[in-house]
Amino acid sequence: MIKYLLTLIIFSGFYCIGQTVSSITKIETSYQNCLEKGINKKGCSYKFYKQVDSLLNATYKNLTLKLNAQRIKELKMDQKIWLLKRDIYFKVAYDEVKGKGIEEGTEDFIITFNDKKSQLVIARAIVLLNYD
């Protein structure tokens, strides 16, 4: 019976990870399809960032439901540190895009900057999926 329960727990964990990775893939595919239409690409990039950020938030909240009090405390501290690093990364990414000679406020600038932000957020979501 214990083997059965452990197997069920392990496979349900993989299913959740697979579901979220699948969600990321779907969001990325939807984003690429939106960009390929060539209409309102800036809106596509804003939507993409909002979707991956929402996914990260949901992943974080779901993780807090699975952890004990000590692990939640550790996760919260880890998340605070990540948020500080994220803010720094966003400033650096902004300057990098600006440094490439892409004019601020243009569609290319916004898309490039949002892509950089989105990739960082996706990376964090994947880290949280593997948090143990």
Side-chain angles (χ1 to χ4, degrees):
M1 180 65 157
I2 291 175
K3 282 185 180 180
Y4 172 74
L5 289 174
L6 286 174
T7 304
L8 183 61
I9 290 169
I10 289 169
F11 283 121
S12 67
F14 288 140
Y15 178 74
C16 291
I17 290 171
Q19 285 296 93
T20 305
V21 170
S22 173
S23 297
I24 291 169
T25 302
K26 286 178 184 175
I27 293 169
E28 288 176 327
T29 300
S30 175
Y31 175 51
Q32 288 305 315
N33 290 339
C34 185
L35 288 176
E36 287 172 8
K37 290 179 184 174
I39 302 168
N40 191 20
K41 293 191 290 186
K42 181 169 54 172
C44 296
S45 76
Y46 281 127
K47 181 179 177 182
F48 178 55
Y49 176 75
K50 287 179 184 178
Q51 287 177 323
V52 296
D53 190 54
S54 293
L55 182 68
L56 173 61
N57 291 332
T59 303
Y60 177 84
K61 287 177 186 174
N62 288 336
L63 183 57
T64 63
L65 298 174
K66 299 177 193 175
L67 300 175
N68 65 35
Q70 178 59 36
R71 295 293 288 148
I72 291 172
K73 184 177 177 181
E74 292 168 6
L75 175 63
K76 286 182 178 181
M77 180 57 70
D78 187 44
Q79 189 69 2
K80 285 180 184 179
I81 292 167
W82 181 81
L83 288 169
L84 291 171
K85 289 179 181 180
R86 179 206 62 190
D87 293 345
I88 292 167
Y89 175 83
F90 283 5
K91 289 176 185 175
V92 170
Y94 188 91
D95 290 340
E96 281 180 6
V97 176
K98 191 174 165 183
K100 288 182 178 182
I102 303 172
E103 188 178 335
E104 288 180 84
T106 63
E107 185 174 70
D108 285 343
F109 186 93
I110 291 166
I111 291 169
T112 304
F113 181 54
N114 281 340
D115 282 353
K116 286 182 169 286
K117 294 189 321 181
S118 298
Q119 293 310 311
L120 181 73
V121 170
I122 289 169
R124 179 61 179 171
I126 292 170
V127 166
L128 293 183
L129 287 171
N130 295 303
Y131 198 87
D132 49 21

